[in-house]
Structure formats: structure tokens, C-alpha cells
Amino acid sequence: MDDASDADTSDCDRFETCVDAAESGGRVALDSFRSDLVVEAKGDDPLDAVTAVDRAVQDHVFSVIGDRYPDDAVVGEEDDALKSVPESGVAWVVDPIDGTVNYVGGNRVWMTSVAVCRDGDPVAAANYAPAVDDLYVASDGAATRNGEPITVSETTDPAAFTINPLFGVSRPHRRELAGVVETILDEFGDLRRFGCAQAALSGVAAGELDATVSTVELNDWDTAAGVHILRQAGGRATDISGERWRPGSEGLIASNDEAHEELVAAFDAT
Ligand code: 2AM
Ligand code: CA
């Protein structure tokens, strides 16, 4: 077997583990959803929050991965896991709860996200939204929502585009967000802000939204899985200047690929 097909076969095997890890991790989080939670601020910002559930879910997901692939690298938001995807080899990228502020508030828009990257590129992904029981997954060439094939929207007119801006809550992010919101309202259709980057990317993949945009560098656990699902559903993901998106890219423009140049032109200038 040559190296390429060897990688294909093992990516296929890892896909099953990826889905198991996201679904079972999401169920761990669901057990404590809308219960009394102790919320810790990670830094000075009260909206940059973490709970014991975030850590318990990451531990669970890492143990599912580690039982089957003990030698693979693991990247994760919490504790002392790796914080970015290595350039070479296989790496798992885990966000135990994407949308922690929603989770803590009892809002249903949050996901457990697991991606597999090979040499820096995502090759398999699962995003599970337990509170609404929506599972978005993609392996090689096929993306599904709850087992049904999905494709991006067919919207072509930028004035009809619904766009989700992806930003955190830090001061620099807020300033950039203000400019992006203005551009969306001036030059495109409408906006949504879910507070969960993986839900936005999964939504573009399934045609629920037309695009999602960030002008800042996001964390790999907020993006890798959703970018892979979007690409397998026929969408396009680039950095802010229109180059193919990779973990660590500056900015992210993810769309149905019907007006991608217009999006890059509008947001690169923001
Ligand atoms: P989290 O819930 O895992 O923290 C909020 O709109 C989105 O941005 C969520 O996906 C959130 O992920 C993420 N986010 C929050 N703070 C961030 C930061 N400082 N940098 C990048 N992304 C952030
Ligand atoms: Ca998180």
C-alpha cells in the first residue's frame, strides 16, 4: 500500500472515532446543561468563561481518542493540551464546548467539536449540538447533518447574503467586530451572531447561512472541524486575503463560494 492510500484508510478509521468522541463528549456536557454551574472567568473579562464541565468533556474526548490512538497529538482549548495544530503528522483538535457563554446561560447554541488534521489540514470532522441533537460530520468528499447529505446555499446576490461574524469578546476583537457588522449591513443582506463559531461554520455548510467571517486569527479548535465540513459540502474557506485557509491563518472567510471574491474585497479592507 502506498503512503497516500495508507493515510486514506487511517483517516477513514479516525473519522469513526471522531464522531464517537464528539457525540459522547456532547452527551457528557448535556447532562449538566441548565443545571447550577460554577463559572470561572479565565482572565479579566467576565465573558471569557470556563466551567468544570468544559474540562470534564475535554478529558472524556481525549480519553476516547487516547484509547484508540495513543500516539496522536491532541490540541484542545482547556488546560495544558497543545494550543495549535502542528505542521506535520496527525493531530486531533477538540473544543469540548464551543459557545461556553451560551451553554452557561442555558441557550441551546453550543457544540462539542472534534477534527482530525493531517499535516496541518483538516481531513475528518464532527460537530455535535447536543441541546438540539444536530450532528454535522464530514470525512472525505461527503458532509451530512443527522445522516442526510448537506450542501451550501445557492444564494448568489451579495445583497441577499446572511453572514455570521466570528469574534471573541476581547477589546481588539470588539473593535474589529464593529467594523465587520457595519460592512455586513452596508454591503450585504443580514447578520446573525451565534456566539459559537462551529455552529456558524456548520450552518454555512448546510445552507442555513451564506457566509461567516472573521478578520482576526481564531483558535484552531473554533474553526478546523467546521472548515472541513464546509469544504466537503461545496463551500470555500480562505484567509482574509483570499488564500486557502489553514490552521493559524489570519482571518477566515467561509462561504457558499457564490460571491467569495466580493466578500474578500469587502472584509480585507475593513
Ligand atoms: P468558546 O465559546 O469556545 O470560547 C464567540 O462568538 C465565539 O468566539 C465562540 O466560538 C467562542 O468560543 C469564540 N471565542 C471566545 N473568545 C475568543 C477569543 N479570545 N479568541 C477567539 N475566539 C474566541
Ligand atoms: Ca470552548
Side-chain angles (χ1 to χ4, degrees), residues 163-192:
I163 303 179
N164 200 311
L166 299 181
F167 291 88
V169 291
S170 65
R171 279 287 143 205
H173 278 220
R174 284 164 191 261
R175 273 192 292 275
E176 286 286 318
L177 171 62
V180 163
V181 166
E182 201 174 334
T183 302
I184 292 172
L185 297 176
D186 284 348
E187 300 182 35
F188 296 93
D190 200 358
L191 73 87
R192 299 285 182 277

Side-chain angles (χ1 to χ4, degrees), residues 77 95 97-100 167-169 173 193 195-197 218-219 222:
E77 179 164 16
D95 194 343
I97 300 180
D98 186 29
T100 295
F167 291 88
V169 291
H173 278 220
R193 177 159 158 83
C196 173
L218 298 167
N219 295 305
D222 289 332

Side-chain angles (χ1 to χ4, degrees), residues 59-202:
D59 288 349
H60 171 92
V61 171
F62 279 13
S63 78
V64 171
I65 297 165
D67 280 351
R68 300 183 206 173
Y69 299 98
D71 299 329
D72 287 0
V74 282
V75 176
E77 179 164 16
E78 310 308 335
D79 302 325
D80 55 0
L82 284 179
K83 295 299 164 198
S84 61
V85 175
E87 290 281 318
S88 65
V90 174
W92 295 77
V93 189
V94 176
D95 194 343
I97 300 180
D98 186 29
T100 295
V101 174
N102 290 343
Y103 179 85
V104 165
N107 176 321
R108 288 171 292 186
V109 185
W110 54 274
M111 287 184 152
T112 299
S113 177
V114 183
V116 182
C117 291
R118 182 175 288 280
D119 298 334
D121 251 331
V123 293
N127 277 340
Y128 182 45
V132 291
D133 199 21
D134 272 345
L135 174 68
Y136 301 77
V137 306
S139 53
D140 186 14
T144 62
R145 178 183 57 201
N146 303 332
E148 298 292 327
I150 50 172
T151 56
V152 291
S153 70
E154 294 178 353
T155 312
T156 54
D157 180 1
F161 262 51
T162 297
I163 303 179
N164 200 311
L166 299 181
F167 291 88
V169 291
S170 65
R171 279 287 143 205
H173 278 220
R174 284 164 191 261
R175 273 192 292 275
E176 286 286 318
L177 171 62
V180 163
V181 166
E182 201 174 334
T183 302
I184 292 172
L185 297 176
D186 284 348
E187 300 182 35
F188 296 93
D190 200 358
L191 73 87
R192 299 285 182 277
R193 177 159 158 83
F194 291 167
C196 173
Q198 296 291 4
L201 286 158
S202 303

Side-chain angles (χ1 to χ4, degrees), residues 36-58:
D36 279 340
L37 295 165
V38 178
V39 182
E40 277 170 56
K42 280 187 174 174
D44 293 339
D45 197 313
L47 287 176
D48 195 4
V50 65
T51 70
V53 183
D54 296 73
R55 297 194 177 104
V57 174
Q58 181 167 298

